[in-house]
Amino acid sequence: MGKTLAEKIWADHIVRQHEGEPDLIYIDLHLIHEVTSPQAFDGLRLANRKVRRPELTIATEDHNVPTTDIDKPIADPVSKLQVDTLRKNCAEFGVRIHSLGDVEQGIVHVVGPQLGITQPGMTIVCGDSHTSTHGAFGALAFGIGTSEVEHVLATQTLPLVRPKTMAINVEGKLKPGVTSKDIILAIIAKIGTGGGQGYVLEYRGSAIRALSMESRMTVCNMSIEAGARAGLIAPDEITFEYLKSKPHAPKGADWDAAVSYWKTLQSDSDAKFDVEISLNADELEPFVTWGTNPGQGLPLNSKVPNPAEISDPEARGAAERALTYMGLVAGTPLKDIKVDTIFLGSCTNGRIEDLRSAADVLKGKKISKEVRMLVVPGSARVRLQAESEGLDKVFLDAGAEWRTAGCSMCLGMNPDQLAVGERSASTSNRNFEGRQGKGGRTHLVSPLVAAATAIRGTLSSPADL
Amino acid sequence: MEKYLSHTGSVLPLRRSNVDTDQIIPAVYLKRVTKSGFEDGLFGAWRNDPEFVLNKAEFAGATILVAGVDFGTGSSREHAVWALQNYGFKVVLSSRFADIFRGNSQKAGLLTVVIDQAEIEAIWSAVEADPKTQVTVDLEAKTVSYGSKSIAFTIDDYTRWRLMEGLDDIGLTLKNIDSVSSFEQSRPSFKPKTLPALS
Ligand code: SF4
């Protein structure tokens, strides 16, 4: 019987296999940031251990860095301590780091791909659950805890139990105005936030094949929101083309050898997935969330659901609680919901194509006087690229704020937060209670919906303009 | 992780049950960026009370904590184990531990031993009568002994072996590090490296 893509990558990284024990898996790339690494480095120090392979490790500052006045010292003492600690640890253990102000600094999941160190067939880990983003290249990539971070630093391996596989087939053609963000929000609404638990998801089908690399990253990024530790897409010409010009892409003979290996990274036609589901891309509409988990989403043309009509008692209870927290009334058209804040950014939608598509909508227009809009590029390079294309001017002229790179309002660890009761349309990935600030209310949307919503002040798609 | 074969020391008698991990190390101490230095926060809420047993001179230097039933319930924070170890404890005895705490402690090399509540009470009385009482917790023999008493305890073989060998998960992997090295020999040359930095 054939193998799935995930099984092939797994098999290629087994260092040691023993009956009754987890497999010992080799890790090709370890990404590090300031929040989940300090205790891991401290553990190494206490045990007198070294980083085994500094050249397979890279750090960046993203989670709690400010996105204004980055030339001044960081004002929040806890953030400053974590950033300073990361810098010290990287210096001591010989790990490459991209600090605030450096042209390669940015959100760890934006930086890896843009440097070209994210490649097909790799195993990639990071102390951050959205590491699944890198799966867009046909890599097996997943988030790990602090003890595991220490384990990888010391041994470049992890003992792991092999996950099951799930195929998600998305066939058809997206309508104009419908994006990869809408695909993944629709998938999560369909299988639920626990539907992917224990599985590696493989996104397949003509609608996925047609996506750009950046759009594929948006899909894989949110695998964790469906409960799956990893999600991936088989590499193809679009992948190779994207990688070719990147600084760390293989060169010369290595490139040829790499491409011929990468071409084998497809699920075999007779491979068997543990579960298969499908979605019709033709029917998809722009999607938004109305609740407090990413599975509580609906097409933008719908109304806020009535919990009384939900038969599953647990889902009904969750919907009731969500509506109370979100301050929403059942039956309200989603398009009537007024927002205060628009956040365009994050590792889900903070790349250049995301900024371009939002700028396209905003060009020559003004955002509503009742909203503020934060545009936070995913990396310093994305910011530079956007400025060279004049996108910063489009955003500023429309009345939005143009920030420097970081996670920012995605998790509200830095000063970019929602106030109590404030409502956002956000291109990020989590709408949990308090995620963007205590008492803040989040609607997850695509960059196109974010831009249109900024102009109208209520949840909208460009078609409504 | 240090190897644990047998340890002899004096006892801190903690006559409280249901000590949860928030009491072992309050959340305000978790912002630290190290695994060390948590001793200041150990039992933080009780430390201001001069009558709290940890503050009593006669129990200074104790390395064996003898606690009431249901020790370590609540949040899964790994910091609770670090705080006990940072303070100098090598062993905790109780008649029952919370699962996650027990798991965390065994990973980090803090021995947790279960004995009957009657035996716990007997140790408390002996130690309160004479704080200098030396107790030995022998993992090889699987006994807790003091004076003329010897109490047998059980522990699963795998955990016992790991503790006696001083192997944390990393230590276990390092035992097989040769297989990692030989795997590395076969990695294709086109796999990316972060160093030297290219841009
Ligand atoms: S942008 Fe948000 S989801 Fe992505 S790494 Fe940062 S905090 Fe995590």
Side-chain angles (χ1 to χ4, degrees), chain A residues 205-250:
Chain A
S206 52
I208 300 291
R209 296 259 74 88
L211 296 175
S212 70
M213 277 320 293
E214 298 201 350
S215 294
R216 293 179 188 184
M217 286 188 242
T218 303
V219 173
C220 290
N221 173 274
M222 291 188 72
S223 303
I224 184 70
E225 259 52 72
R229 221 169 157 188
L232 38 64
I233 294 172
D236 57 14
E237 289 303 325
I238 293 177
T239 319
F240 310 152
E241 197 46 46
Y242 177 95
L243 266 169
K244 207 168 195 164
S245 57
K246 299 289 179 279
H248 282 269

Side-chain angles (χ1 to χ4, degrees), chain A residues 26 28 42 52 55 96 150, chain B residues 35 173 184 187 189 194:
Chain A
Y26 197 80
D28 289 322
D42 202 44
R52 180 177 174 84
E55 78 278 24
R96 171 176 173 187
E150 184 179 340
Chain B
K35 265 193 201 177
T173 300
E184 284 172 336
R187 290 180 79 236
S189 64
T194 58

Side-chain angles (χ1 to χ4, degrees), chain A residues 323-405:
Chain A
L323 291 193
T324 309
Y325 180 84
M326 294 294 289
L328 293 175
V329 178
T332 311
L334 292 172
K335 284 190 176 169
D336 287 356
I337 297 174
K338 278 189 69 177
V339 305
D340 315 289
T341 300
I342 312 288
F343 173 58
L344 175 61
S346 87
C347 60
T348 314
N349 283 125
R351 286 171 288 268
I352 190 68
E353 288 179 11
D354 301 311
L355 301 191
R356 281 182 196 140
S357 71
D360 242 15
V361 176
L362 287 168
K363 199 164 186 149
K365 302 210 173 62
K366 294 274 179 218
I367 65 171
S368 156
K369 291 215 159 34
E370 324 240 314
V371 306
R372 71 170 164 153
M373 179 174 191
L374 253 64
V375 184
V376 186
S379 70
R381 277 230 184 265
V382 169
R383 183 179 149 100
L384 283 180
Q385 177 65 31
E387 287 176 350
S388 77
E389 297 176 19
L391 305 186
D392 56 327
K393 276 199 53 62
V394 174
F395 291 121
L396 288 167
D397 289 348
E401 297 173 39
W402 177 243
R403 297 293 189 87
T404 54

